[in-house]
Amino acid sequence: MSMSWKGGTIMLTYRFMQVAFAVCLLLGIVIPLLGSSVVFKRLSSSGDALAHSSLAGVGIGLAAGLNPLWTSILCCVVAFLIIELLRKKFSKFSEIGVSVVLSASIALAGILSSFTSASNFDSYLFGSILLITDTELYLTLGLFALTVLFSVLFAPQIFACLYSESEAKVSGIKVRTLTFFQDLLFSVAIAISAKVVGSLVVTSLVVLPTAIALQLKKGYKATVGFSLLFSLLSMGLGLTGAYYLDFKPGATIVMVLVLLLAGAFLVKGVLYLFRNLKRKKS
């Protein structure tokens, strides 16, 4: 039985919207916790490569008659391992690994789309609230628990690695092991998020909350905290707006983030002009 948006009724009276809201809010916490490190390391493009790898995994799943979510997660993990391998091979040009995986994923996804239903494949490009299942909810809960536990237990080590990997190694921190598990969690988060909000926009959820938080020019902890706040705000407003306006949920969530970033730039500009006027008067 097909379902459609029902803008004339209260959103959370529907089971599928309750599940969608729960998954989006959980991912709204998971993605900034893991993605902020990616942004600070200037590796945001790796999120894009993993997102397209997830799309290739969806194509494999749909073409082979398998669960697209599991093949998507598997492809993201494999893509992450390949990126790490290529980074070692091209130590002076680490971005090559990301570009290779991104190119291969786009090509594979394009080829596999010929063997799948266009409507099924297209629904993964911008996400679909109607496709979220209880299995994905439980998987997201598990990822949420692992991410929060990892982020709390290893917060000092994560910050040390971001500040200086060489100094972190000298102090006895197992940088490679820590980075491996963090990137592994990030890969799974990208795969799940790509299913929910769409492969084409998932990277925006990684970059934009941190980009907005950076405009406040606070410390590391405050930046991560504000990125969580902006991420949750965009998830809530975006999903609600998409429901009542009958928009694509992933695209709407990202547009909310873009507007928040534009608002942050505007406020900074106004404050800058105000300070200059105040200085001239004094």
Side-chain angles (χ1 to χ4, degrees), residues 175-224:
V175 175
R176 286 188 178 180
T177 303
L178 188 72
T179 302
F180 176 84
F181 282 108
Q182 190 175 27
D183 290 346
L184 185 62
L185 288 172
F186 182 64
S187 301
V188 177
I190 289 293
I192 298 174
S193 302
K195 169 71 181 296
V196 176
V197 301
S199 298
L200 296 183
V201 297
V202 67
T203 310
S204 303
L205 302 182
V206 177
V207 177
L208 290 177
T210 304
I212 300 168
L214 285 171
Q215 303 311 308
L216 302 177
K217 293 186 177 180
K218 303 292 183 180
Y220 169 74
K221 290 183 179 179
T223 299
V224 174

Short mmCIF file of all heavy atoms in Angstrom, two decimals, residues 175-224:
data_model
loop_
_atom_site.label_atom_id
_atom_site.label_comp_id
_atom_site.label_asym_id
_atom_site.label_seq_id
_atom_site.Cartn_x
_atom_site.Cartn_y
_atom_site.Cartn_z
N VAL A 175 47.27 6.41 17.40
CA VAL A 175 46.57 7.27 16.46
C VAL A 175 45.89 6.46 15.36
O VAL A 175 44.72 6.69 15.02
CB VAL A 175 47.54 8.30 15.84
CG1 VAL A 175 46.83 9.12 14.76
CG2 VAL A 175 48.10 9.21 16.91
N ARG A 176 46.60 5.49 14.80
CA ARG A 176 46.04 4.72 13.69
C ARG A 176 44.81 3.93 14.12
O ARG A 176 43.80 3.88 13.40
CB ARG A 176 47.10 3.77 13.13
CG ARG A 176 48.18 4.45 12.31
CD ARG A 176 49.07 3.45 11.63
NE ARG A 176 50.08 4.09 10.79
CZ ARG A 176 51.00 3.43 10.09
NH1 ARG A 176 51.01 2.10 10.10
NH2 ARG A 176 51.87 4.08 9.37
N THR A 177 44.89 3.30 15.28
CA THR A 177 43.75 2.52 15.78
C THR A 177 42.56 3.41 16.06
O THR A 177 41.42 3.08 15.69
CB THR A 177 44.14 1.77 17.07
OG1 THR A 177 45.29 0.95 16.82
CG2 THR A 177 43.00 0.90 17.56
N LEU A 178 42.81 4.55 16.68
CA LEU A 178 41.74 5.49 17.00
C LEU A 178 41.09 6.02 15.72
O LEU A 178 39.85 6.05 15.61
CB LEU A 178 42.30 6.65 17.82
CG LEU A 178 41.29 7.64 18.40
CD1 LEU A 178 40.52 7.00 19.54
CD2 LEU A 178 41.97 8.91 18.88
N THR A 179 41.91 6.39 14.76
CA THR A 179 41.40 6.92 13.50
C THR A 179 40.63 5.86 12.73
O THR A 179 39.61 6.15 12.11
CB THR A 179 42.56 7.45 12.63
OG1 THR A 179 43.29 8.45 13.35
CG2 THR A 179 42.05 8.03 11.34
N PHE A 180 41.13 4.62 12.79
CA PHE A 180 40.47 3.52 12.09
C PHE A 180 39.03 3.33 12.58
O PHE A 180 38.09 3.26 11.78
CB PHE A 180 41.25 2.23 12.27
CG PHE A 180 40.58 1.02 11.65
CD1 PHE A 180 40.76 0.74 10.31
CD2 PHE A 180 39.79 0.18 12.42
CE1 PHE A 180 40.14 -0.37 9.73
CE2 PHE A 180 39.16 -0.92 11.85
CZ PHE A 180 39.34 -1.20 10.50
N PHE A 181 38.86 3.25 13.90
CA PHE A 181 37.52 3.03 14.45
C PHE A 181 36.61 4.24 14.23
O PHE A 181 35.41 4.09 13.98
CB PHE A 181 37.61 2.68 15.93
CG PHE A 181 38.02 1.26 16.18
CD1 PHE A 181 39.29 0.97 16.68
CD2 PHE A 181 37.16 0.21 15.91
CE1 PHE A 181 39.68 -0.35 16.90
CE2 PHE A 181 37.54 -1.10 16.13
CZ PHE A 181 38.80 -1.38 16.62
N GLN A 182 37.20 5.43 14.32
CA GLN A 182 36.40 6.63 14.08
C GLN A 182 35.92 6.69 12.63
O GLN A 182 34.74 6.99 12.37
CB GLN A 182 37.23 7.87 14.40
CG GLN A 182 36.43 9.17 14.42
CD GLN A 182 37.27 10.34 14.87
OE1 GLN A 182 38.49 10.35 14.71
NE2 GLN A 182 36.63 11.34 15.45
N ASP A 183 36.80 6.37 11.70
CA ASP A 183 36.43 6.38 10.28
C ASP A 183 35.46 5.24 9.95
O ASP A 183 34.61 5.38 9.06
CB ASP A 183 37.68 6.27 9.40
CG ASP A 183 38.52 7.53 9.44
OD1 ASP A 183 38.01 8.56 9.92
OD2 ASP A 183 39.68 7.49 9.00
N LEU A 184 35.58 4.12 10.66
CA LEU A 184 34.68 3.00 10.45
C LEU A 184 33.25 3.39 10.86
O LEU A 184 32.28 3.12 10.12
CB LEU A 184 35.14 1.79 11.25
CG LEU A 184 34.37 0.49 11.04
CD1 LEU A 184 34.48 0.01 9.60
CD2 LEU A 184 34.90 -0.60 11.99
N LEU A 185 33.12 4.03 12.01
CA LEU A 185 31.82 4.51 12.46
C LEU A 185 31.27 5.56 11.49
O LEU A 185 30.07 5.58 11.19
CB LEU A 185 31.93 5.11 13.87
CG LEU A 185 32.15 4.13 15.02
CD1 LEU A 185 32.44 4.90 16.31
CD2 LEU A 185 30.92 3.24 15.22
N PHE A 186 32.16 6.41 11.00
CA PHE A 186 31.76 7.45 10.05
C PHE A 186 31.23 6.84 8.75
O PHE A 186 30.24 7.31 8.19
CB PHE A 186 32.96 8.35 9.77
CG PHE A 186 32.67 9.50 8.83
CD1 PHE A 186 31.76 10.48 9.18
CD2 PHE A 186 33.29 9.58 7.59
CE1 PHE A 186 31.48 11.54 8.33
CE2 PHE A 186 33.03 10.63 6.73
CZ PHE A 186 32.12 11.61 7.10
N SER A 187 31.86 5.75 8.30
CA SER A 187 31.43 5.08 7.07
C SER A 187 30.02 4.52 7.22
O SER A 187 29.18 4.65 6.32
CB SER A 187 32.40 3.94 6.72
OG SER A 187 33.70 4.42 6.53
N VAL A 188 29.75 3.88 8.36
CA VAL A 188 28.42 3.33 8.62
C VAL A 188 27.39 4.45 8.72
O VAL A 188 26.27 4.35 8.20
CB VAL A 188 28.42 2.48 9.91
CG1 VAL A 188 27.01 1.97 10.22
CG2 VAL A 188 29.38 1.30 9.78
N ALA A 189 27.78 5.55 9.37
CA ALA A 189 26.88 6.70 9.51
C ALA A 189 26.52 7.29 8.14
O ALA A 189 25.36 7.65 7.90
CB ALA A 189 27.51 7.77 10.39
N ILE A 190 27.49 7.36 7.25
CA ILE A 190 27.25 7.89 5.91
C ILE A 190 26.29 6.98 5.15
O ILE A 190 25.37 7.45 4.47
CB ILE A 190 28.57 8.04 5.13
CG1 ILE A 190 29.41 9.18 5.70
CG2 ILE A 190 28.30 8.26 3.64
CD1 ILE A 190 28.81 10.55 5.49
N ALA A 191 26.48 5.66 5.27
CA ALA A 191 25.62 4.71 4.57
C ALA A 191 24.17 4.83 5.02
O ALA A 191 23.24 4.85 4.20
CB ALA A 191 26.13 3.29 4.78
N ILE A 192 23.96 4.92 6.33
CA ILE A 192 22.60 5.04 6.86
C ILE A 192 22.00 6.39 6.48
O ILE A 192 20.84 6.48 6.07
CB ILE A 192 22.59 4.86 8.38
CG1 ILE A 192 23.08 3.45 8.75
CG2 ILE A 192 21.20 5.09 8.95
CD1 ILE A 192 23.23 3.24 10.24
N SER A 193 22.79 7.44 6.61
CA SER A 193 22.31 8.79 6.30
C SER A 193 21.96 8.92 4.82
O SER A 193 21.00 9.60 4.46
CB SER A 193 23.36 9.83 6.67
OG SER A 193 23.70 9.74 8.04
N ALA A 194 22.76 8.26 3.96
CA ALA A 194 22.49 8.31 2.53
C ALA A 194 21.14 7.68 2.21
O ALA A 194 20.42 8.12 1.31
CB ALA A 194 23.60 7.60 1.76
N LYS A 195 20.78 6.64 2.97
CA LYS A 195 19.47 6.00 2.76
C LYS A 195 18.34 6.93 3.21
O LYS A 195 17.28 6.98 2.56
CB LYS A 195 19.43 4.71 3.58
CG LYS A 195 18.06 4.04 3.69
CD LYS A 195 17.63 3.42 2.38
CE LYS A 195 16.23 2.79 2.50
NZ LYS A 195 16.20 1.66 3.44
N VAL A 196 18.56 7.65 4.28
CA VAL A 196 17.49 8.48 4.86
C VAL A 196 17.34 9.81 4.12
O VAL A 196 16.22 10.19 3.73
CB VAL A 196 17.77 8.75 6.36
CG1 VAL A 196 16.72 9.68 6.94
CG2 VAL A 196 17.80 7.43 7.13
N VAL A 197 18.44 10.54 3.95
CA VAL A 197 18.35 11.89 3.37
C VAL A 197 18.81 11.95 1.92
O VAL A 197 18.60 12.96 1.24
CB VAL A 197 19.16 12.91 4.20
CG1 VAL A 197 18.65 12.96 5.61
CG2 VAL A 197 20.65 12.58 4.17
N GLY A 198 19.45 10.88 1.42
CA GLY A 198 19.87 10.86 0.03
C GLY A 198 21.37 10.97 -0.15
O GLY A 198 22.04 11.73 0.56
N SER A 199 21.89 10.20 -1.09
CA SER A 199 23.34 10.17 -1.32
C SER A 199 23.89 11.49 -1.82
O SER A 199 25.05 11.82 -1.58
CB SER A 199 23.67 9.06 -2.33
OG SER A 199 23.30 7.80 -1.82
N LEU A 200 23.06 12.25 -2.53
CA LEU A 200 23.55 13.49 -3.13
C LEU A 200 23.70 14.63 -2.13
O LEU A 200 24.37 15.62 -2.41
CB LEU A 200 22.63 13.93 -4.28
CG LEU A 200 22.54 13.00 -5.49
CD1 LEU A 200 21.65 13.59 -6.56
CD2 LEU A 200 23.94 12.74 -6.06
N VAL A 201 23.06 14.51 -0.98
CA VAL A 201 23.07 15.63 -0.03
C VAL A 201 23.68 15.28 1.32
O VAL A 201 23.81 16.15 2.18
CB VAL A 201 21.64 16.19 0.19
CG1 VAL A 201 21.07 16.74 -1.09
CG2 VAL A 201 20.72 15.10 0.75
N VAL A 202 24.06 14.02 1.51
CA VAL A 202 24.51 13.61 2.84
C VAL A 202 25.79 14.32 3.26
O VAL A 202 26.00 14.61 4.45
CB VAL A 202 24.70 12.07 2.88
CG1 VAL A 202 25.85 11.62 2.00
CG2 VAL A 202 24.92 11.60 4.32
N THR A 203 26.67 14.64 2.32
CA THR A 203 27.92 15.33 2.67
C THR A 203 27.64 16.69 3.29
O THR A 203 28.40 17.16 4.14
CB THR A 203 28.80 15.50 1.42
OG1 THR A 203 28.93 14.25 0.76
CG2 THR A 203 30.19 16.00 1.81
N SER A 204 26.55 17.32 2.87
CA SER A 204 26.18 18.62 3.44
C SER A 204 25.90 18.52 4.92
O SER A 204 26.17 19.46 5.68
CB SER A 204 24.94 19.17 2.72
OG SER A 204 25.16 19.27 1.33
N LEU A 205 25.37 17.39 5.36
CA LEU A 205 25.10 17.19 6.79
C LEU A 205 26.39 17.06 7.59
O LEU A 205 26.41 17.30 8.79
CB LEU A 205 24.24 15.94 7.00
CG LEU A 205 22.89 15.90 6.28
CD1 LEU A 205 22.14 14.62 6.62
CD2 LEU A 205 22.05 17.11 6.67
N VAL A 206 27.45 16.67 6.92
CA VAL A 206 28.76 16.55 7.57
C VAL A 206 29.42 17.92 7.70
O VAL A 206 29.95 18.28 8.76
CB VAL A 206 29.69 15.60 6.78
CG1 VAL A 206 31.07 15.54 7.42
CG2 VAL A 206 29.08 14.20 6.70
N VAL A 207 29.36 18.70 6.64
CA VAL A 207 30.13 19.94 6.56
C VAL A 207 29.40 21.14 7.16
O VAL A 207 29.96 21.90 7.96
CB VAL A 207 30.50 20.24 5.09
CG1 VAL A 207 31.23 21.57 4.98
CG2 VAL A 207 31.33 19.12 4.52
N LEU A 208 28.13 21.33 6.79
CA LEU A 208 27.43 22.58 7.11
C LEU A 208 27.25 22.86 8.60
O LEU A 208 27.46 24.00 9.04
CB LEU A 208 26.08 22.62 6.39
CG LEU A 208 26.17 22.79 4.87
CD1 LEU A 208 24.79 22.76 4.24
CD2 LEU A 208 26.87 24.10 4.51
N PRO A 209 26.85 21.88 9.44
CA PRO A 209 26.71 22.20 10.87
C PRO A 209 28.01 22.71 11.49
O PRO A 209 28.00 23.67 12.27
CB PRO A 209 26.28 20.86 11.49
CG PRO A 209 25.61 20.14 10.39
CD PRO A 209 26.38 20.50 9.17
N THR A 210 29.13 22.09 11.13
CA THR A 210 30.42 22.54 11.65
C THR A 210 30.80 23.88 11.07
O THR A 210 31.36 24.75 11.77
CB THR A 210 31.51 21.50 11.33
OG1 THR A 210 31.14 20.23 11.86
CG2 THR A 210 32.85 21.91 11.94
N ALA A 211 30.48 24.10 9.78
CA ALA A 211 30.78 25.39 9.14
C ALA A 211 30.03 26.53 9.83
O ALA A 211 30.58 27.61 10.03
CB ALA A 211 30.41 25.33 7.66
N ILE A 212 28.78 26.28 10.20
CA ILE A 212 28.00 27.30 10.91
C ILE A 212 28.59 27.55 12.29
O ILE A 212 28.75 28.70 12.72
CB ILE A 212 26.52 26.86 11.04
CG1 ILE A 212 25.91 26.65 9.67
CG2 ILE A 212 25.72 27.91 11.81
CD1 ILE A 212 24.56 25.95 9.68
N ALA A 213 28.92 26.46 12.99
CA ALA A 213 29.49 26.58 14.34
C ALA A 213 30.82 27.33 14.33
O ALA A 213 31.13 28.08 15.26
CB ALA A 213 29.66 25.20 14.96
N LEU A 214 31.60 27.15 13.27
CA LEU A 214 32.90 27.83 13.17
C LEU A 214 32.75 29.34 13.07
O LEU A 214 33.69 30.08 13.42
CB LEU A 214 33.67 27.30 11.95
CG LEU A 214 34.29 25.91 12.09
CD1 LEU A 214 34.83 25.43 10.75
CD2 LEU A 214 35.40 25.90 13.14
N GLN A 215 31.60 29.82 12.62
CA GLN A 215 31.38 31.27 12.51
C GLN A 215 31.31 31.93 13.88
O GLN A 215 31.51 33.14 14.00
CB GLN A 215 30.09 31.56 11.74
CG GLN A 215 30.04 30.95 10.35
CD GLN A 215 31.27 31.24 9.54
OE1 GLN A 215 31.69 32.39 9.40
NE2 GLN A 215 31.89 30.19 9.02
N LEU A 216 31.05 31.13 14.92
CA LEU A 216 30.97 31.68 16.27
C LEU A 216 32.35 31.89 16.89
O LEU A 216 32.49 32.54 17.92
CB LEU A 216 30.15 30.74 17.16
CG LEU A 216 28.72 30.47 16.68
CD1 LEU A 216 28.03 29.47 17.59
CD2 LEU A 216 27.92 31.76 16.61
N LYS A 217 33.38 31.29 16.25
CA LYS A 217 34.77 31.44 16.68
C LYS A 217 34.96 31.09 18.16
O LYS A 217 35.52 31.86 18.95
CB LYS A 217 35.26 32.86 16.41
CG LYS A 217 35.36 33.17 14.91
CD LYS A 217 35.98 34.53 14.65
CE LYS A 217 36.12 34.77 13.16
NZ LYS A 217 36.73 36.08 12.85
N LYS A 218 34.47 29.91 18.52
CA LYS A 218 34.66 29.40 19.88
C LYS A 218 35.71 28.31 19.85
O LYS A 218 36.30 28.02 18.82
CB LYS A 218 33.33 28.85 20.41
CG LYS A 218 32.19 29.85 20.42
CD LYS A 218 32.43 30.97 21.42
CE LYS A 218 31.26 31.94 21.47
NZ LYS A 218 31.46 33.04 22.43
N GLY A 219 35.96 27.68 21.01
CA GLY A 219 36.93 26.61 21.10
C GLY A 219 36.41 25.32 20.48
O GLY A 219 35.28 25.26 19.99
N TYR A 220 37.25 24.29 20.54
CA TYR A 220 36.91 23.01 19.91
C TYR A 220 35.63 22.41 20.49
O TYR A 220 34.71 22.04 19.75
CB TYR A 220 38.07 22.04 20.09
CG TYR A 220 37.73 20.62 19.72
CD1 TYR A 220 37.59 20.24 18.38
CD2 TYR A 220 37.54 19.64 20.70
CE1 TYR A 220 37.26 18.93 18.04
CE2 TYR A 220 37.22 18.34 20.37
CZ TYR A 220 37.08 17.98 19.04
OH TYR A 220 36.75 16.69 18.71
N LYS A 221 35.52 22.32 21.81
CA LYS A 221 34.36 21.72 22.45
C LYS A 221 33.08 22.50 22.12
O LYS A 221 32.03 21.91 21.84
CB LYS A 221 34.56 21.64 23.96
CG LYS A 221 35.60 20.63 24.41
CD LYS A 221 35.68 20.56 25.93
CE LYS A 221 36.72 19.54 26.36
NZ LYS A 221 36.82 19.47 27.85
N ALA A 222 33.18 23.82 22.18
CA ALA A 222 32.01 24.66 21.88
C ALA A 222 31.60 24.50 20.42
O ALA A 222 30.40 24.47 20.10
CB ALA A 222 32.33 26.11 22.18
N THR A 223 32.57 24.38 19.52
CA THR A 223 32.27 24.21 18.10
C THR A 223 31.53 22.91 17.86
O THR A 223 30.54 22.87 17.11
CB THR A 223 33.56 24.25 17.27
OG1 THR A 223 34.21 25.51 17.44
CG2 THR A 223 33.25 24.04 15.79
N VAL A 224 31.99 21.83 18.48
CA VAL A 224 31.30 20.54 18.35
C VAL A 224 29.90 20.63 18.94
O VAL A 224 28.93 20.13 18.36
CB VAL A 224 32.11 19.42 19.03
CG1 VAL A 224 31.32 18.11 19.03
CG2 VAL A 224 33.45 19.22 18.34
#
